[in-house]
Amino acid sequence: MGAQKSIHAGKAKIDLNVDLTHKLCGALLLPPPVRNSSDPFSQIIGRLCIKHPGLFGRSEKLDFLWDKGLHDSNLLIALRRPGAERFAQQSFVVQHSIAPEIGVHGLPTEHYPHSGIGWINLSRFSAGVELTEPATSNWSSSTSIRFEHVRPISNEGRSIMTDIDGLPITCSGRSHDNMFVLKQESQFATINENNFARLTVQMEQGLPLLSKWLIFNRFKFIASKGLRLGKALLVASLTGGSIVGDMAPYQAFAIGGPGSVRGYTEGAIGSGRSYLVTNNELTVPLATLLSGKGNPVMDLVSDMACVSTQS
């Protein structure tokens, strides 16, 4: 049960989407310490999207996006200025998000069953500039520089400095972490009827503008290769990364979950400064009589993962 509405105001377009289906399901599935029955809007999912294609009568594009989930929210304001031919597109982005930190600290039902802490949430505020280079052949790249403020909070919005074991959640030991991050990301993709290949390389550098700000180098790559075998599809992927320098617990690489190793919750296998995961998956379509919205698949997954937790 929900509602969707699109409104055109001049050149601007407003999309409104409210989903009420999760209110009853969430109230039944969530454990008592996590439910928030006093707030009638706590179990409602919604999205508000406003786009303006020609701000100030020029080619600048304004994007306003607000997402509200069961346990998270995200507010994004972006002013995008298309670049001329062979020049990068400039984007000025301000973002604020609140989301549970599950990969390292787990679910509250697992680690906080009798405490009032509930989720450990991360409140993130960031502001910066992003340059997106024009795609050439199969390659694309982007460079961004941003200020980021991260504050762990409880369900009630109060600052949290330690977890249930008394260990610090931030790297600075204070109620928040500040960092000024330079990020470079490059992507390669090729696809045809019988196979595809993708490669993504990310590198982040924390700049030492102030003495108490985080200084680190974080590297991550994702490589995947797909091959069609008749009606079946074989996909092999390799994911890895490492971080050097200052590291807050929430910055650790987590292994487990649908995007990593299936059959485990996010971070259930382990987390640390360095990781490497290889995944091989064979997807075989079953009889069309069993299909719902699409063809059902049977997944045969072989996973191998290793994690380094050196301090």
Side-chain angles (χ1 to χ4, degrees):
M1 180 175 63
Q4 296 182 358
K5 183 67 175 180
S6 294
I7 303 173
H8 291 271
K11 293 183 179 181
K13 181 182 179 182
I14 302 175
D15 292 326
L16 176 63
N17 182 7
V18 178
D19 188 356
L20 306 178
T21 57
H22 289 273
K23 183 173 178 61
L24 178 60
C25 296
L28 294 176
L29 295 177
L30 289 177
V34 185
R35 298 179 193 166
N36 188 5
S37 57
S38 62
D39 185 0
F41 301 103
S42 62
Q43 302 302 317
I44 298 178
I45 291 179
R47 162 174 282 202
L48 174 62
C49 180
I50 302 176
K51 293 180 178 290
H52 197 294
L55 194 65
F56 307 125
R58 296 182 292 182
S59 58
E60 286 86 353
K61 299 180 180 180
L62 176 66
D63 292 341
F64 177 92
L65 176 65
W66 177 67
D67 279 307
K68 196 269 181 195
L70 290 177
H71 311 293
D72 59 339
S73 64
N74 181 50
L75 175 65
L76 174 69
I77 303 175
L79 178 62
R80 310 187 191 279
R81 180 180 300 169
E85 186 178 0
R86 298 182 181 179
F87 288 92
Q89 172 184 278
Q90 302 174 13
S91 299
F92 303 90
V93 182
V94 177
Q95 185 174 12
H96 179 262
S97 64
I98 299 177
E101 201 297 292
I102 301 176
V104 176
H105 294 95
L107 298 171
T109 52
E110 296 174 354
H111 300 290
Y112 310 98
H114 304 295
S115 69
I117 296 180
W119 303 93
I120 290 182
N121 303 281
L122 294 181
S123 174
R124 295 177 181 265
F125 171 81
S126 63
V129 180
E130 179 178 345
L131 302 177
T132 303
E133 299 291 339
T136 58
S137 184
N138 297 322
W139 284 94
S140 62
S141 64
S142 64
T143 303
S144 65
I145 186 167
R146 70 183 187 276
F147 166 78
E148 188 168 343
H149 174 88
V150 182
R151 184 169 66 98
I153 60 175
S154 65
N155 290 343
E156 292 75 25
R158 296 193 302 266
S159 295
I160 302 175
M161 298 181 61
T162 59
D163 59 15
I164 193 65
D165 298 316
L167 300 176
I169 302 177
T170 61
C171 179
S172 63
R174 299 180 295 174
S175 61
H176 62 272
D177 284 330
N178 289 330
M179 61 198 84
F180 202 75
V181 183
L182 175 64
K183 179 180 179 181
Q184 170 68 38
E185 179 173 339
S186 299
Q187 295 181 342
F188 171 85
T190 178
I191 184 172
N192 56 45
E193 295 181 355
N194 298 319
N195 60 76
F196 71 87
R198 288 195 297 262
L199 174 64
T200 301
V201 179
Q202 301 175 353
M203 180 171 291
E204 293 179 314
Q205 177 65 53
L207 303 179
L209 297 187
L210 293 178
S211 59
K212 295 183 179 181
W213 288 14
L214 273 60
I215 305 173
F216 62 90
N217 182 272
R218 191 175 194 266
F219 172 78
K220 180 180 180 180
F221 73 91
I222 305 172
S224 61
K225 175 71 175 180
L227 179 63
R228 186 167 297 280
L229 305 173
K231 294 184 177 181
L233 178 64
L234 176 63
V235 179
S237 63
L238 180 65
T239 306
S242 183
I243 183 170
V244 179
D246 298 333
M247 185 189 76
Y250 54 80
Q251 290 180 308
F253 296 102
I255 297 181
S260 176
V261 181
R262 295 191 184 185
Y264 297 87
T265 58
E266 184 180 355
I269 294 180
S271 60
R273 284 184 176 270
S274 302
Y275 85 120
L276 183 67
V277 175
T278 178
N279 179 289
N280 300 287
E281 180 173 322
L282 179 65
T283 304
V284 181
L286 301 178
T288 56
L289 294 178
L290 300 178
S291 63
K293 292 184 179 180
N295 292 330
V297 297
M298 176 176 62
D299 298 327
L300 306 177
V301 183
S302 172
D303 295 299
M304 179 183 68
C306 60
V307 61
S308 170
T309 57
Q310 60 184 1
S311 59

